[in-house]
Amino acid sequence: GDAAVAVAHPNIALVKYWGKRDETYFLPVTGSLSMTLDIYPTTTAVRLSSEPGDTVVLNDRPAVGDAHARVARFLDLVRARAGRDEYAVVVSTNAGPTGAGLASSASGFAALAVAAAAAYGLDADARALSRLARRGSGSACRSIFGGFAVWHAGEGDGEAGDASSYAEPIDGDALDPALIVAVVDDGAKAVSSREAMRRTCDTSPFYRPWADASRVDLEEMRKAIARRDLPAVGEIAERNALGMHATMLLARPSVRYLSPRSVAILDRVLALRADGIAAYATMDAGPNVKVLCARADEQRVTTALRDAADIQVAHLGPGAALVRDDER
Ligand code: DP6
């Protein structure tokens, strides 16, 4: 008690979360589905302290401003639920290259949820931890689980919505895909995903059609995973991601995350498919492109992309977990 360490991995959505119906509770407009990766873990230690105020250290640097405020607000939630009032020292390290745009807020808040719940003695099962992690960053609720996970949009706003909006694992391990991450650019993003999704919901005439299509994508994706149909999984993921980016292009002002180098990778993915290799692209709030393919094809895909980007190969990874004392 009073101190705990947890590890969590990033997840990449194959059906995207893009848009909140309730910003306070991080309730999404649509459900989403992701795979948790086995690269770039975040390790987070939480220790209760008698000092006033929360201390937050991210990648060896003290967090200030908004980064500190997000963690402190999250700890306020945990304290309120645990009925405790001690502040905490949080030390978090992300193994990925900073700025690679690889969902570090997802692994970050999943690890923080697990470590903080343990340190404050909160009695929380995986579903409760998923709902808690969601309050730090929506996509973090999916990183509580390994492999494939679906995040249910849930129903209602406020507390009612909170109870019904969580992630849970779905059985897709038999697919055993590779996700080839093409890091084309690590420049700071121009617009945060939080601001970009708000602007898209508020101003894009494409938003509602995309959200309606995304609900269908989610149902079809679940069926494609169940029948182990990797080409169908890839096709649905690619169209869902391209649609999300299209909604943003029509936001006012427009948001564009894809760069010429991203588009060059998309061309190579098409060329791979023309060669009969089942490879499909997905992109998030940044220019990097993630390419889904069968493990048996990962060498050919890596070779095809190598001179266009820095390549990281990922597979299905584990859910968030406490690190035992004797493993530290
Ligand atoms: C494009 O979870 O980072 O990666 O809830 O505001 O913290 P907040 O947003 P965040 O958004 C992730 C958006 C995405 C798609 C996805 O992961 O589903």
Side-chain angles (χ1 to χ4, degrees), residues 13 17-18 20 26 70 105 137-139 142 193-194 197 284:
Y17 151 53
W18 196 252
K20 296 178 182 71
F26 289 76
R70 276 179 79 177
S105 75
S137 185
S139 55
R142 300 182 307 234
S193 56
R194 192 159 301 178
M197 73 170 78
D284 295 291

Side-chain angles (χ1 to χ4, degrees), residues 12 14 35 177-182 238 265-266 268-270 272-273 277-283 288-294 298 301-302 305 311-314:
I12 296 298
L14 301 180
M35 55 183 281
L179 195 80
I180 315 295
V181 183
E238 190 174 286
I265 299 286
L266 294 179
R268 288 185 189 219
V269 170
L270 286 181
L272 280 163
R273 288 220 286 278
I277 297 173
Y280 304 88
T282 184
M283 301 77 65
N288 301 323
V289 180
K290 297 102 187 179
V291 181
L292 185 75
C293 64
E298 76 182 40
V301 173
T302 303
L305 304 180
I311 301 297
Q312 297 283 338
V313 178

Side-chain angles (χ1 to χ4, degrees), residues 63-111:
V64 292
D66 196 48
H68 180 274
R70 276 179 79 177
V71 173
R73 267 199 304 271
F74 186 82
L75 292 172
D76 285 342
L77 269 177
V78 178
R79 283 187 279 262
R81 284 179 197 190
R84 299 182 67 160
D85 55 13
E86 302 98 317
Y87 288 105
V89 177
V90 176
V91 179
S92 185
T93 311
N94 184 255
T98 37
L102 249 167
S104 59
S105 75
S107 55
F109 278 102

Side-chain angles (χ1 to χ4, degrees), residues 242-309:
L242 287 168
M244 179 186 78
H245 286 271
T247 66
M248 291 185 233
L249 287 171
L250 279 236
R252 295 163 198 182
S254 179
V255 180
R256 181 173 57 84
Y257 286 118
L258 305 183
S259 73
R261 297 185 68 200
S262 322
V263 176
I265 299 286
L266 294 179
D267 274 344
R268 288 185 189 219
V269 170
L270 286 181
L272 280 163
R273 288 220 286 278
D275 281 349
I277 297 173
Y280 304 88
T282 184
M283 301 77 65
D284 295 291
N288 301 323
V289 180
K290 297 102 187 179
V291 181
L292 185 75
C293 64
R295 258 194 203 238
D297 291 329
E298 76 182 40
Q299 277 311 329
R300 289 182 70 182
V301 173
T302 303
T303 303
L305 304 180
R306 200 158 37 207
D307 64 324

